[in-house]
């Protein structure tokens, strides 16, 4: 409390009102640190003047969202449109009449302010949910905090608040994690220092008593968010020519941050940045974990190594082998790899659970680095190939690729590729692929063939067709690859694709024996996306003459799996339809007609029961065979 009193005295020297002084002094996690920063405040230029700020940490229980947050503009109600004599819920904050760097807001009663704070939090949590991401690392970027005094027209004492001029979504997410109500922060803890200190002390005591290892994950999430980094506005220096008021400068700052922010990097650049962070994570060894890739592999994957140095390091110069190793290292290896890759993504985005699609996009961006060199402006070349590889490498079987099994490494010759082909043929003969899951050799060959099919001109593998007719093949690239690598002819085709791609030759279609097909004029048939999709349709009629027995049934089962995958994608697509541009999910907010949902669920239930019976029959057969043997 002595440090708080000294900070309050220093704040009074800055000309702040007593309410602003008290709100800031009690909010500082380190009052002594904030007091030192008052002597040399940082400057933040905005249109109309310069904000003077002190960067420090504040207790989360002392900061509330902006009660008139601009994110809600589209949902506000105004007096002019209100019926009868209904008054607006709240008016915009204005500059305090004392000439200080403070805001003032007038309201009828404390309940109006309290309700407005709760409404702001509720909408921000719903429209911009950040709680799960913030729970991982806490708030990383500082909030811009401004003192505001709520003046009540019914004579109730004024209420001094600290509001997030920038960062209302983040502080609302923090309050959601901690179970805080902004109205309680403003009118209960704001009026009683003992209650505020009691709330903070109970967490401090818990950490001291149990230690960090003794806390549950939920408790750790809350401890991480007990305080937030902040840029506290302690002064304002207007431009002499502009003569703008403080509240205008704050509004200009919010506009620069949200309405006219810097131009976004774009997905490709963002994935590039994530890729470097992921490689750093994979190349680092922890106290209990070994590095996932070597330093040489890190430079190989990042593309920051010359072809001569690649050979000297004992790595492969074939770009499809590099693509395969990137895919294996970033997407294969199961949960352990996923955790390491997610750590790298979180270091830039603070996302708690990055999706698999995001990891795939990062891997593809690394794969494209040497391809893009010299083609930076050739969007027509790079963009469709990026899209195809992003879809192709979402093949679920890739997750099962082991980092320890490497068919082709440094100095690999044609024999290694043939061995990979033969292993894939053996897996196909065992029914792998038809069962809905490719084997590891089939998967690795699919990864390498997909690279060359995407890079070819014309492209031998393209993205699915949207909005086409009933005859259009709208299968995603991963599904086409599975259908292709499930057939002996498709495996021989994939082998030929990789061989020709490495030799710089055109990709040609092959027959059942792997021999190049020719046109009526005697020219080789160039492989195209249309030919691939037609030949490996994934339909119930296989290339081989299999109409009865287990082989034919396994092909039909592959169709069932494909239908289930498509249903899952369609459900995800419907869940992703927003209420409005940039808004939350329509069905998550509005739901869907119960009668229609019931009809679909009953149909799915009937199908589920039917195929469950097949599993039961298989188990009975297996038990009978075991008993007889």
């Amino acid at each position: 409390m002595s440090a708080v009193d000294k900070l309050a005295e220093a704040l009074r020297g800055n000309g702040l009102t007593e309410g602003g002084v008290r709100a800031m002094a009690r909010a500082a996690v380190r009052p002594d640190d904030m007091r030192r920063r008052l002597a040399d405040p940082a400057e933040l230029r905005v249109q109309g003047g310069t904000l003077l700020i002190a960067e420090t940490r504040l207790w989360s229980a002392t900061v509330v969202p902006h009660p008139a947050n601009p994110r809600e503009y589209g949902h506000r109600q105004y007096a002019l449109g209100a019926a009868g004599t209904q008054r607006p819920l709240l008016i915009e904050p204005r500059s305090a009449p004392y000439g200080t760097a403070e805001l003032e807001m007038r309201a009828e009663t404390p309940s109006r302010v309290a309700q407005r704070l709760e409404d702001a939090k509720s909408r921000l949590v719903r429209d911009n949910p950040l709680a799960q991401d913030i729970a991982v690392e806490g708030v990383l970027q500082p909030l811009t905090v401004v003192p505001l005094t709520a003046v009540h027209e019914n004579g109730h004492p004024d209420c001094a608040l600290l509001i997030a001029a920038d960062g209302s979504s983040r502080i609302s997410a923090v309050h959601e994690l901690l179970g805080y109500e902004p109205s309680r922060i403003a009118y209960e803890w704001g009026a009683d220092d003992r209650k505020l200190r009691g709330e903070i002390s109970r967490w401090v005591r818990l950490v001291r008593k149990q230690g960090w290892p003794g806390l549950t994950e939920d408790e750790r999430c809350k401890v991480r968010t007990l305080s937030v980094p902040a840029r506290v506005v302690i002064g304002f220096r207007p431009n002499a020519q502009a003569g703008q008021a403080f509240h205008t400068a704050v509004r200009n700052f919010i506009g620069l941050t949200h309405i006219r922010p810097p131009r976004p990097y774009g997905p490709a650049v963002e994935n590039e940045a994530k890729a470097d962070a992921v490689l750093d994570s994979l190349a680092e060894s922890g106290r209990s974990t070994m590095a996932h890739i070597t330093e040489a592999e890190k430079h190989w994957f990042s593309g920051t190594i010359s072809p001569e140095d690649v050979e000297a390091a004992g790595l492969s110069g074939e770009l499809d082998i590099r693509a395969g190793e990137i895919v294996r290292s970033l997407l294969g290896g199961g949960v352990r790899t996923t955790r390491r890759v997610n750590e790298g993504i979180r270091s830039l985005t603070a996302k708690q659970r990055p999706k698999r699609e995001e990891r795939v996009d990062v891997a593809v961006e690394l794969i494209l680095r040497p391809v893009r060199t010299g083609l930076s402006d050739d969007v027509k070349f790079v963009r469709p190939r990026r899209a195809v590889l992003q879809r192709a490498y979402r093949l679920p079987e890739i997750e099962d690729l082991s980092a320890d099994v490497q068919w082709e490494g440094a100095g690999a010759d044609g024999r290694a590729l043939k061995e990979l082909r033969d292993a894939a043929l053996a897996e196909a003969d065992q029914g792998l692929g038809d069962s809905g899951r490719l084997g590891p050799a089939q998967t690795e060959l699919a990864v390498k063939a997909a690279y060359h099919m995407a890079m070819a001109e014309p492209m031998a593998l393209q993205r699915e067709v949207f909005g086409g007719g009933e005859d259009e093949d709208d299968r995603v690239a991963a599904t086409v690859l599975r259908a292709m690598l499930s057939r002996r002819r498709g495996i021989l085709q994939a082998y030929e694709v990789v061989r020709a791609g490495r030799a710089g030759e055109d990709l040609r279609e092959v027959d059942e024996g792997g021999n190049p097909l020719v046109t009526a004029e005697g020219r080789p048939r160039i492989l195209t996306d249309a030919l691939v999709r037609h030949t490996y349709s994934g339909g119930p009629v296989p290339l081989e003459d299999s109409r009865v027995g287990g082989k034919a049934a396994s092909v039909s089962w592959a169709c069932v799996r494909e239908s289930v995958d498509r249903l899952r994608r369609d459900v995800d697509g419907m869940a992703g339809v927003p209420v409005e541009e940039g808004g939350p999910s329509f069905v998550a907010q509005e739901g869907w007609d119960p009668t229609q949902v019931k009809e679909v669920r009953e149909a799915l239930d009937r199908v589920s029961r039917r195929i469950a019976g097949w599993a039961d029959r298989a188990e009975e057969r297996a038990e009978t065979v075991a008993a007889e043997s």
Side-chain angles (χ1 to χ4, degrees):
M1 292 308 299
S2 174
V4 171
D5 292 340
K6 290 179 180 179
L7 173 58
E9 190 60 34
L11 287 167
R12 291 187 186 97
N14 277 50
L16 295 170
T17 64
E18 194 59 32
V21 165
R22 179 174 176 274
M24 288 187 187
R26 65 201 294 274
V29 175
R30 290 286 305 277
D32 54 339
D33 173 71
M34 185 174 177
R35 181 162 55 87
R36 284 192 296 270
R37 293 177 184 272
L38 294 179
D40 186 23
E43 296 186 354
L44 184 63
R45 290 192 61 194
V46 297
Q47 185 177 0
T50 302
L51 300 176
L52 306 179
I53 59 175
E55 295 199 15
T56 187
R57 293 194 72 87
L58 303 180
W59 295 115
S60 302
T62 62
V63 183
V64 296
H66 197 311
N69 191 280
R71 193 178 288 274
E72 301 180 279
Y73 266 127
H75 305 278
R76 287 190 187 175
Q77 297 182 7
Y78 294 91
L80 186 60
T85 58
Q86 182 180 348
R87 301 182 62 182
L89 190 61
L90 215 62
I91 63 172
E92 281 284 340
R94 308 290 295 179
S95 302
Y98 322 108
T100 58
E102 297 178 72
L103 299 174
E104 182 179 282
M105 180 180 63
R106 295 186 171 272
E108 297 174 352
T109 62
S111 62
R112 280 293 178 94
V113 178
Q115 185 60 52
R116 190 69 198 87
L117 291 172
E118 293 298 327
D119 289 346
K121 176 198 167 185
S122 298
R123 181 169 291 281
L124 289 166
V125 167
R126 184 175 67 248
D127 291 355
N128 195 21
L130 300 174
Q132 285 192 343
D133 295 339
I134 286 176
V136 179
E137 298 285 352
V139 176
L140 300 178
Q141 294 299 315
L143 287 62
T144 303
V145 174
V146 179
L148 177 145
T149 300
V151 179
H152 309 109
E153 296 177 354
N154 68 346
H156 190 281
D158 297 347
C159 177
L161 307 171
L162 291 181
I163 66 168
D166 169 45
S168 288
S169 294
R170 281 170 282 162
I171 196 62
S172 295
V174 167
H175 291 171
E176 183 76 2
L177 287 167
L178 291 166
Y180 289 171
E181 299 171 358
S183 56
R184 188 181 185 192
I185 291 174
Y187 286 100
E188 184 177 335
W189 295 343
D192 191 330
D193 286 352
R194 286 195 309 168
K195 289 184 177 180
L196 172 63
R197 290 198 301 272
E199 169 59 25
I200 297 168
S201 295
R202 74 183 181 94
W203 289 104
V204 175
R205 287 194 301 268
L206 179 68
V207 175
R208 287 177 177 171
K209 179 181 178 180
Q210 298 184 197
W212 186 256
L215 298 178
T216 66
E217 184 54 35
D218 180 64
E219 289 169 340
R220 291 180 182 181
C221 291
K222 292 180 178 179
V223 171
R224 292 187 188 108
T225 57
L226 276 180
S227 67
V228 293
R231 298 184 296 188
V232 186
V233 178
I234 58 171
F236 174 58
R237 190 167 59 238
N239 291 342
Q241 297 85 356
Q244 287 189 349
F246 176 63
H247 74 272
T248 304
V250 172
R251 188 175 61 210
N252 292 343
F253 169 75
I254 297 173
L256 286 173
T257 306
H258 295 286
I259 300 173
R260 288 296 301 273
R263 183 179 178 182
Y265 286 150
V269 178
E270 291 173 6
N271 288 329
E272 284 265 41
K274 294 174 191 173
D276 285 329
V278 165
L279 292 181
D280 287 340
S281 176
L282 294 176
E284 291 172 357
S285 57
R287 287 179 294 180
S288 58
T289 57
M290 298 288 291
H292 192 64
I293 60 175
T294 66
E295 195 66 24
E297 287 173 326
K298 174 184 173 182
H299 291 297
W300 186 38
F301 292 169
S302 67
T304 57
I305 184 172
S306 68
E308 295 76 21
D309 292 337
V310 166
E311 185 177 352
L315 301 170
S316 174
E318 300 292 352
L319 292 181
D320 66 285
I321 292 180
R322 173 179 173 272
E325 292 309 300
I326 289 174
V327 167
R328 184 197 307 277
S329 299
L330 271 68
L331 306 178
V335 176
R336 292 182 60 187
T337 301
T338 298
R339 288 174 178 167
R340 295 292 291 268
V341 174
N342 283 354
E343 284 177 9
I345 295 175
R346 277 200 299 266
S347 68
L348 290 183
T349 66
K351 283 188 176 180
Q352 184 178 18
R353 296 183 181 89
K355 296 181 179 179
R356 184 172 185 270
E357 289 78 4
E358 191 166 359
R359 297 191 292 274
V360 171
D361 293 351
V362 167
V364 168
E365 219 55 49
L366 285 172
I367 290 169
L368 288 176
R369 282 186 176 181
V371 178
R372 286 200 335 264
T373 302
L375 295 170
S376 300
D377 298 326
D378 195 349
V379 177
K380 292 182 179 179
F381 181 89
V382 175
R383 182 176 293 170
R385 286 159 175 82
R386 175 186 290 120
V388 169
L389 291 181
Q390 287 174 343
R391 286 160 170 75
Y393 292 157
R394 289 175 187 172
L395 192 69
E397 290 90 328
I398 288 175
E399 296 179 359
D400 298 332
L401 287 178
S402 170
D404 302 325
V405 179
Q406 189 179 40
W407 287 96
E408 295 185 286
D413 55 20
R415 287 182 307 223
L417 180 59
K418 291 179 180 178
E419 290 171 1
L420 176 61
R421 175 201 64 190
D422 294 342
L425 288 170
E427 290 173 349
D429 290 340
Q430 297 169 17
L432 293 177
D434 286 336
S435 62
R437 201 81 177 172
L438 295 174
Q442 290 168 303
T443 303
E444 180 164 336
L445 188 56
V447 168
K448 293 173 179 176
Y451 174 82
H452 288 293
M453 292 167 76
M455 296 302 144
E457 190 64 61
M459 294 173 66
L461 184 64
Q462 297 182 18
R463 58 181 292 180
E464 64 275 19
V465 177
F466 290 107
E470 293 184 1
D471 295 333
E472 295 283 3
D473 185 347
D474 61 352
R475 291 176 298 161
V476 296
T479 302
V480 175
L481 283 174
R482 183 184 291 113
M484 177 177 171
L485 271 295
S486 298
R487 313 262 68 80
R488 290 185 63 86
R489 179 180 174 182
I491 292 170
L492 296 174
Q493 179 69 77
Y495 165 78
E496 170 59 21
V497 162
V498 177
R499 186 208 64 77
R502 292 179 184 177
E505 301 172 2
D506 291 335
L507 306 187
R508 296 178 292 179
E509 187 181 13
V510 300
D511 60 16
E512 301 285 350
N515 303 306
L517 288 171
V518 295
T519 65
E521 294 79 19
R523 292 192 297 268
R525 291 183 63 175
I526 301 300
L527 195 67
T528 63
D529 178 71
L531 281 174
V532 170
R533 289 179 178 271
H534 173 74
T535 306
Y536 309 102
S537 63
V541 180
L543 295 173
E544 294 84 1
D545 187 18
S546 298
R547 294 180 175 83
V548 296
K551 189 70 174 178
S554 66
V555 173
S556 294
W557 178 254
C559 298
V560 173
R561 282 295 304 265
E562 183 181 339
S563 299
V564 173
D565 290 341
R566 180 177 299 179
L567 173 63
R568 187 182 298 112
R569 292 195 303 271
D570 290 342
V571 171
D572 290 341
M574 185 169 179
V577 176
V579 175
E580 57 190 14
E581 191 68 34
S585 165
F586 179 89
V587 290
Q589 178 171 301
E590 303 294 336
W592 199 251
D593 180 57
T595 303
Q596 296 183 27
V597 170
K598 181 181 179 182
E599 180 183 348
V600 171
R601 290 188 64 186
E602 288 176 349
L604 292 173
D605 188 46
R606 286 193 296 272
V607 172
S608 178
R609 290 197 301 270
R610 186 177 183 186
I611 63 176
W614 301 346
D616 293 340
R617 179 57 180 154
E619 290 178 355
E620 292 172 2
R621 294 268 298 174
E623 291 172 358
T624 301
V625 172
E628 290 175 352
S629 62

